[in-house]
Amino acid sequence: MLKYIGKRVLYILLSLWLIVTATFFLMRFAPGNPFTSEKRLPAQIEANLKAHYGLDQPWYVQYGEYLVKIAQWDFGPSFKYKSQTVNQLIADGFQVSAILGLMAIFIALAVGVILGTIAALRHNKWQDYGAMIIAVAGISVPSFIMATVLQYVFALQLGIFPVARWESFMHTVLPALALASTPTAFIARLTRSSMLEVLSNDYIKTAKAKGLSQSAITVRHTIRNAMLPVVSYIGPLAASIITGSFVIEKIFGIPGLGSSFVLSIGNRDYTVIMGVTVFYSIILLLCVLLVDILYVLIDPRIKLTGRKESA
């Protein structure tokens, strides 16, 4: 286990270096600069600003200094948010984004597994068809469309939840539901197909022959063995939640990290763009590592090399 984790950490560091390098040069090749605006600055002032932030140095010097700062967990100052560093923006905004993301993941896993289980246990019955209709609708409707529908129905028409902002638990419900809609549909379909496969195995038939109840068979044997495809989806799920939260946070006026990232793109705030990209990349890479470890915990027959032990 430790040898495997050590090897994966090396792969993570290599991946981070590639991500940092690609992001750095993409920002440098992008047209304009952080000081570009509708009202052009005088040449001397712009030159002084570039000298202050080190943008007048050769690219290889800037690249080397940035790698050193990343290794020290220092993303540098923001060009647009005065007197604030990228680390401060990440620390403030990610708390909100993490709460929203965790709520969406919990909803997606809970509702998706329940729908998929019901659909598998009631195969080719109205429960199965109803669950799959919900799943198809969740996949077909983008999260930003779902967000506006939820705002119109539950906020404007019924008045149950607030339209926007982030002030109480009630403000978190609609954005979390909108963010969880698509992952819920995928998890429901994965759970259904995996459970149907597990239910056809001989050991399930043996358990039924021994007189075990349907609930005991489902809890003890079926769900655990059917969860492997769902666990493998946790990594992409985290990616979809993170990237989807950018739009959802903007729609609901949530002061999360996604809002800062979207604004930084329009403002050409290089350090914020690169810092948030690296920060989220670390989270995603760690999620992938966690998924691989969970595989072994759920099914001990699976080796960390990706092959099952011989019987």
Side-chain angles (χ1 to χ4, degrees):
M1 174 71 78
L2 293 178
K3 181 180 179 180
Y4 172 78
I5 293 176
K7 185 185 296 185
R8 289 300 301 271
V9 169
L10 292 178
Y11 289 148
I12 288 174
L13 293 176
L14 177 60
S15 300
L16 283 176
W17 174 73
L18 293 174
I19 292 170
V20 169
T21 301
T23 307
F24 177 87
F25 286 106
L26 284 174
M27 290 298 97
R28 290 304 180 272
F29 292 148
N33 61 66
F35 313 114
T36 302
S37 60
E38 295 180 0
K39 184 178 180 181
R40 184 175 179 81
L41 293 174
Q44 185 60 43
I45 294 178
E46 184 171 336
N48 292 337
L49 287 173
K50 288 183 177 179
H52 176 73
Y53 288 107
L55 297 179
D56 60 336
Q57 298 178 359
W59 67 266
Y60 51 86
V61 175
Q62 298 182 48
Y63 176 65
E65 290 180 351
Y66 189 69
L67 288 179
V68 172
K69 288 183 178 180
I70 291 294
Q72 298 172 347
W73 199 250
D74 180 10
F75 295 115
S78 169
F79 293 141
K80 294 296 183 179
Y81 296 93
K82 303 302 181 183
S83 302
Q84 279 191 296
T85 65
V86 179
N87 293 64
Q88 291 174 333
L89 291 173
I90 291 175
D92 295 338
F94 184 68
Q95 296 180 20
V96 176
S97 298
I99 293 174
L100 177 61
L102 289 174
M103 287 184 63
I105 291 174
F106 176 78
I107 293 172
L109 287 173
V111 178
V113 170
I114 291 173
L115 285 177
T117 302
I118 293 174
L121 295 178
R122 298 292 184 267
H123 184 48
N124 288 334
K125 296 182 180 179
W126 68 268
Q127 294 94 333
D128 183 14
Y129 299 140
M132 289 303 98
I133 288 174
I134 296 174
V136 171
I139 294 174
S140 304
V141 180
S143 60
F144 61 90
I145 298 295
M146 183 64 70
T148 57
V149 171
L150 292 174
Q151 283 178 323
Y152 177 77
V153 175
F154 293 100
L156 297 179
Q157 296 298 316
L158 300 179
I160 300 176
F161 299 103
V163 176
R165 301 184 68 82
W166 186 266
E167 298 175 355
S168 66
F169 174 78
M170 297 297 288
H171 289 81
T172 67
V173 176
L174 292 185
L177 289 175
L179 197 55
S181 60
T182 300
T184 299
F186 277 107
I187 291 174
R189 297 186 65 179
L190 282 173
T191 304
R192 175 183 179 272
S193 60
S194 183
M195 284 195 68
L196 287 175
E197 181 180 352
V198 171
L199 287 171
S200 64
N201 289 334
D202 292 336
Y203 66 88
I204 298 295
K205 298 176 183 178
T206 302
K208 291 179 179 179
K210 289 182 178 180
L212 292 179
S213 63
Q214 183 64 59
S215 59
I217 294 174
T218 302
V219 174
R220 296 179 187 177
H221 303 287
T222 310
I223 290 182
R224 178 175 179 177
N225 293 321
M227 283 299 100
L228 288 178
V230 177
V231 171
S232 66
Y233 179 61
I234 292 179
L237 171 62
S240 65
I241 292 293
I242 289 172
T243 55
S245 66
F246 293 171
V247 179
I248 297 299
E249 288 177 13
K250 196 69 177 175
I251 292 175
F252 285 93
I254 298 174
L257 189 55
S259 299
S260 300
F261 184 76
V262 173
L263 289 175
S264 67
I265 295 175
N267 293 333
R268 297 183 179 87
D269 199 341
Y270 293 164
T271 52
V272 175
I273 296 173
M274 291 188 292
V276 174
T277 301
V278 172
F279 178 73
Y280 273 143
S281 299
I282 293 173
I283 294 177
L284 295 181
L285 291 171
L286 291 178
C287 285
V288 173
L289 176 61
L290 180 61
V291 166
D292 291 340
I293 296 174
L294 285 176
Y295 253 72
V296 180
L297 297 178
I298 293 175
D299 190 349
R301 296 173 300 169
I302 298 178
K303 290 184 177 181
L304 290 175
T305 56
R307 296 174 296 180
K308 288 190 176 182
E309 296 179 357
S310 58

